[in-house]
């Protein structure tokens, strides 16, 4: 996981600073420019912004109502047109595709064939085209890899099940799975009956039998699956599903297995990215960073660190000290860890349901996690304030609704969705593109600001103490001797005037960027900052 960095742009910025250009502001979503008018673009390697996509609900190319890979290819300019200064794209650096392999369900977390793209999404050739198109735009593609379980319709399981029913207990596919007799069942795990007194472990659903990851034949299959998608298709890495279920209740064995997955990826590329889903407490998540990056679930959800700060349940001071402490706990385990903040994903109610755009909460939450370390993940539709929650029908399909393009896209909500579309009040892509005050344009600006101030993503953090304020706080981030200050005012209505020298000895000389409901000024160490506004100081 190498870190790349362009030194020249920083020199240019420094020269600009020396030449007394004073306050630099990023306006109209353009990059900083040097004295010749050339754009300054940084490469922060894997410390970049990803975008999670449910392909089946994103964009439909053939009119069957199901989103597909060619539909996604048609929408790539929306995500990143390859020209950072065009101002026409959201500006994400990578995409995570939820499972694309042939599967039994609409969500495809139950794989039937690991080597084939599901026919409702297209072909393997389409995936190769997608990867090539993304590479042309300097975008990375990672795909969901579900190793804990397969579908009961997978040929491995069908063969195993048939062999047991025929009394052929030496069939090799039986030991591909966690198949046991009743007296071998372990407490805390869920089993379903096969025949002749045999049972299979399936902790998620009876349609998802769990693989035996100790089996060398299974590991050889996984190795070939990794090789195929990385070498032949060209994906940049994987999002690893349900890693704590690999060996349920045994973190040490899970971490050991993830290290093996990592070593397999190393065989096929020296530059790749793995991120795992360990939906657990902060301490456990941190321990998994020994093997791979993991989503930082403590940041996410309606009661997570981001929302708590954006809605003033917690002070900004608490938030920045949480960032710092959590990061330290991860870096003790792995000094090179790349953290993974996010607000919501496909298993959670959408953030715009509990964060108000009108009142500026959603924008503040975005500031809080995009203007921080690591690899932030945006869930598709978050950038336009799409809503969607389980509802009384208790269905995850409502969290994975069709992208609201507002044009002639024929994509439809997934099977089982019941969400009332009249609740989608925040507007479509088409509407928001035209509106400079829209959430979409806000996210676009935020992503540019992050790119233009790479110390935020790459630097060492110093949490500053402004404990006298509940709605104000910030941190320093230092990378290769250069320091930025990131400060937030989460107040709904109060402009604050703060003497920064009360919290830090660092002397800021100019405002590199402002984003929020209002403006900011800096005079000596005195910062005046509007409500629901964040600043980057240099
Ligand atoms: Ca389709
Ligand atoms: Ca398992």
């Amino acid at each position: 996981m190498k870190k790349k960095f362009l030194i020249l742009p920083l020199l240019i910025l420094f020269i600009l600073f020396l030449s007394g250009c004073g306050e630099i502001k990023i306006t109209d979503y353009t990059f900083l420019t040097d004295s010749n008018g050339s754009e300054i673009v940084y490469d922060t390697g894997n410390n970049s912004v990803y975008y999670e996509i449910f392909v089946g609900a994103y964009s439909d190319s053939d009119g069957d109502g199901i989103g597909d890979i060619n539909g996604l290819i048609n929408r790539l300019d929306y995500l990143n047109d390859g020209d950072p200064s065009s101002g026409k794209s959201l500006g994400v650096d990578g995409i995570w595709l939820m499972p694309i392999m042939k599967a039994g369900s609409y969500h495809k977390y139950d794989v039937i064939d690991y080597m084939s793209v599901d026919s409702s999404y297209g072909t393997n050739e389409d995936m190769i085209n997608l990867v090539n198109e993304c590479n042309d735009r300097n975008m990375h593609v990672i795909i969901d890899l579900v190793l804990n379980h397969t579908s009961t319709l997978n040929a491995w399981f069908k063969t195993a099940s048939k062999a047991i029913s025929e009394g052929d207990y030496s069939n090799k596919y039986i030991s591909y799975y966690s198949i046991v007799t009743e007296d071998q069942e372990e407490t805390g795990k869920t089993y379903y009956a096969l025949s002749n007194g045999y049972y299979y472990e399936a902790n998620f659903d009876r349609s998802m039998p769990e693989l035996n990851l100790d089996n060398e034949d299974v590991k050889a299959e996984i190795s070939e699956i990794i090789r195929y998608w990385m070498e032949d298709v060209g994906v940049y890495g994987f999002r690893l599903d349900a890693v704590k279920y690999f060996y349920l209740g045994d973190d040490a064995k899970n971490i050991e297995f993830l290290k093996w997955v990592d070593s397999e990826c190393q065989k096929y590329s020296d530059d790749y990215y793995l991120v795992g889903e360990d939906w657990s407490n902060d301490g456990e998540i941190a321990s998994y960073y020994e093997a791979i990056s993991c989503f930082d679930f403590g940041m996410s959800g309606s009661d997570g660190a981001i929302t708590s700060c954006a809605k003033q349940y917690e002070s900004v001071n608490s938030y920045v000290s949480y960032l710092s402490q959590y990061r330290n706990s991860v870096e003790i385990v792995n000094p090179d860890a790349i953290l993974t903040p996010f607000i919501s994903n496909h298993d959670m109610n959408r953030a715009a349901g509990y964060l108000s755009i009108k009142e500026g909460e959603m924008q503040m939450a975005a500031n809080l996690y995009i203007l921080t370390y690591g690899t932030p993940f945006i869930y598709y539709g978050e950038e336009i304030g799409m809503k969607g929650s389980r509802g009384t029908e208790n269905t995850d399909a409502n969290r994975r609704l069709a992208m609201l393009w507002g044009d002639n896209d024929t994509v439809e909500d997934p099977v089982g969705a019941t969400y009332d579309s009249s609740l989608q009040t925040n507007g479509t892509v088409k509407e928001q593109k035209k509106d400079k005050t829209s959430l979409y344009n806000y996210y676009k600006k935020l992503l540019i600001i992050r790119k233009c101030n790479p110390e935020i993503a790459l630097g060492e953090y110093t949490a500053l103490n402004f404990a006298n304020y509940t709605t104000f706080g910030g941190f320093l981030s230092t990378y290769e001797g250069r320091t930025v200050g990131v400060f937030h005012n989460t107040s709904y209505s109060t402009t604050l005037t703060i003497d920064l020298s009360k919290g830090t000895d660092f002397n800021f000389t100019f405002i590199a960027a402002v984003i929020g409901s209002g403006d900011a000024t800096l005079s000596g160490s005195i910062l005046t900052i509007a409500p629901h506004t964040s600043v980057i100081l240099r």
Side-chain angles (χ1 to χ4, degrees):
M1 298 192 186
K2 66 187 178 193
K3 289 177 180 173
K4 290 173 284 184
F5 198 77
L6 302 180
I7 194 74
L8 183 63
L10 279 165
L11 283 174
I12 294 166
L13 188 66
F14 189 60
I15 291 163
L16 265 175
F17 163 60
L18 286 182
S19 66
C21 59
E23 180 177 306
I24 297 175
K25 273 193 183 178
I26 297 163
T27 54
D28 290 331
Y29 327 118
T30 57
F31 280 89
L32 297 175
T33 53
D34 63 19
S35 53
N36 298 318
S38 302
E39 291 139 11
I40 304 171
V41 182
Y42 300 89
D43 184 344
T44 51
N46 283 329
N47 295 272
S48 54
V49 179
Y50 270 71
Y51 185 86
E52 178 191 357
I53 296 173
F54 176 37
V55 174
Y58 202 62
S59 184
D60 177 29
S61 71
D62 59 4
D64 68 355
I66 301 170
D68 45 56
I69 291 162
N70 284 330
L72 172 54
I73 291 172
N74 294 339
R75 297 293 184 176
L76 286 180
D77 281 354
Y78 169 76
L79 297 171
N80 185 335
D81 65 0
D83 176 6
S85 68
S86 76
K88 291 178 179 167
S89 301
L90 183 59
V92 295
D93 307 291
I95 51 177
W96 152 30
L97 306 185
M98 285 165 60
I100 55 164
M101 298 160 191
K102 182 175 165 61
S105 66
Y106 83 89
H107 54 68
K108 311 208 186 305
Y109 280 97
D110 49 345
V111 178
I112 294 174
D113 177 2
Y114 285 95
M115 297 302 202
S116 301
V117 168
D118 193 279
S119 60
S120 66
Y121 283 6
T123 65
N124 292 30
E125 195 62 33
D126 294 340
M127 259 309 284
I128 292 169
N129 291 340
L130 173 71
V131 169
N132 290 337
E133 288 282 343
C134 288
N135 287 344
D136 288 346
R137 293 164 157 82
N138 286 319
M139 281 171 88
H140 290 141
V141 181
I142 65 169
I143 59 172
D144 231 302
L145 185 56
V146 187
L147 298 177
N148 178 62
H149 50 263
T150 72
S151 166
T152 45
L153 301 174
N154 189 299
W156 302 338
F157 189 77
K158 289 206 292 191
T159 306
S161 175
K162 185 162 176 279
I164 284 174
S165 70
E166 292 170 351
D168 173 18
Y169 301 122
S170 63
N171 186 292
K172 75 167 191 170
Y173 289 102
I174 295 171
S175 57
Y176 268 41
Y177 290 88
S178 181
I179 290 176
V180 297
T181 52
E182 192 163 13
D183 59 313
Q184 293 171 318
E185 289 185 5
E186 295 176 31
T187 51
K189 295 182 177 177
T190 306
Y191 296 86
Y192 295 92
L194 283 166
S195 53
N196 293 334
Y198 284 86
Y199 296 80
Y200 64 94
E201 183 189 352
N203 294 301
F204 282 93
D205 189 272
R206 67 160 57 237
S207 67
M208 298 179 182
E210 305 217 5
L211 286 165
N212 172 13
L213 300 175
D214 284 330
N215 183 312
E216 289 303 321
D217 289 337
V218 170
K219 289 172 86 170
E221 302 269 13
I222 291 170
S223 181
E224 174 57 14
I225 291 161
I226 290 171
R227 188 209 63 75
Y228 173 72
W229 290 100
M230 288 184 81
E231 271 194 350
D232 293 359
V233 179
V235 302
Y236 186 62
F238 303 99
R239 179 267 187 185
L240 297 163
D241 182 59
V243 300
K244 72 189 249 187
Y245 287 87
F246 287 174
Y247 300 89
L248 188 57
D250 192 338
D251 291 332
K253 284 200 79 171
N254 293 334
I255 292 165
E256 183 187 307
F257 187 78
L258 287 166
K259 283 183 176 174
W260 175 79
V261 172
D262 184 62
S263 69
E264 288 301 302
C265 292
Q266 273 178 42
K267 288 183 183 171
Y268 308 119
S269 176
D270 60 359
D271 184 19
Y272 62 92
Y273 176 54
L274 292 177
V275 59
E277 179 207 21
D278 175 23
W279 197 342
S280 189
N281 61 67
D282 285 354
E284 187 184 307
I285 294 169
S287 71
Y288 278 63
Y289 270 92
E290 186 183 339
I292 59 167
S293 286
C294 284
F295 289 100
D296 300 324
F297 278 91
M299 298 282 277
S300 69
S302 59
D303 57 355
I306 299 164
T307 294
S308 297
C309 183
K311 290 180 85 83
Q312 295 186 16
Y313 303 152
E314 296 282 348
S315 68
V316 182
N317 225 50
S318 300
Y319 178 73
V320 295
S321 58
Y322 171 78
L323 290 181
S324 199
Q325 283 167 18
Y326 178 67
R327 182 182 184 164
N328 288 342
S329 72
V330 169
E331 289 185 344
I332 288 168
V333 176
N334 179 357
D336 298 322
I338 299 175
L339 284 98
T340 318
F342 69 106
I343 304 181
S344 77
N345 69 15
H346 62 283
D347 289 323
M348 298 172 165
N349 292 341
R350 282 184 174 275
Y354 52 82
L355 290 166
S356 163
I357 296 169
K358 197 169 165 225
E359 294 184 44
E361 293 171 343
M362 187 80 195
Q363 295 89 327
M364 200 66 234
N367 286 10
L368 291 169
Y369 94 100
I370 300 287
L371 299 179
T372 184
Y373 46 47
T375 305
F377 274 73
I378 297 169
Y379 183 42
Y380 81 94
E382 177 189 314
E383 76 280 14
I384 56 169
M386 262 177 72
K387 295 181 196 167
S389 55
R390 267 189 167 171
T392 49
E393 293 82 4
N394 199 28
T395 173
D396 282 338
N398 286 349
R399 298 160 161 175
R400 305 161 184 172
L401 301 173
M403 182 70 176
L404 296 174
W405 296 107
D407 56 17
N408 58 0
D409 203 301
T410 48
V411 70
E412 294 170 8
D413 290 341
V415 175
T418 58
Y419 196 76
D420 177 358
S421 59
S422 71
L423 298 174
Q424 299 286 9
T425 52
N426 293 324
T428 62
V429 170
K430 190 179 179 186
E431 289 159 352
Q432 295 200 28
K433 273 191 157 184
K434 288 184 284 195
D435 175 5
K436 283 220 162 186
T437 67
S438 69
L439 189 66
Y440 165 76
N441 277 310
Y442 191 95
Y443 266 72
K444 201 158 73 172
K445 181 176 178 181
L446 193 52
L447 265 56
I448 291 173
I449 289 172
R450 189 182 204 264
K451 245 192 171 75
C452 291
N453 296 278
E455 295 85 356
I456 298 170
L458 297 170
E460 289 298 315
Y461 280 21
T462 306
L464 302 178
N465 186 359
F466 288 97
N468 291 339
Y469 300 89
T470 49
T471 70
F472 179 81
F475 58 89
L476 307 179
S477 189
T478 303
Y479 184 74
E480 294 188 341
R482 296 173 299 274
T483 296
V484 296
V486 178
F487 295 96
H488 308 288
N489 178 3
T490 59
S491 168
Y492 289 81
S493 56
T494 308
T495 296
L496 294 173
T497 298
I498 311 282
D499 184 353
L500 296 176
S501 70
K502 299 253 165 69
T504 174
D505 293 333
F506 193 84
N507 289 315
F508 298 105
T509 50
F510 65 95
I511 297 174
V514 184
I515 182 158
S517 73
D519 211 343
T521 57
L522 181 68
S523 174
S525 68
I526 308 297
L527 174 71
T528 300
I529 180 169
H532 275 161
T533 297
S534 302
V535 289
I536 314 301
L537 306 183
R538 287 183 170 275

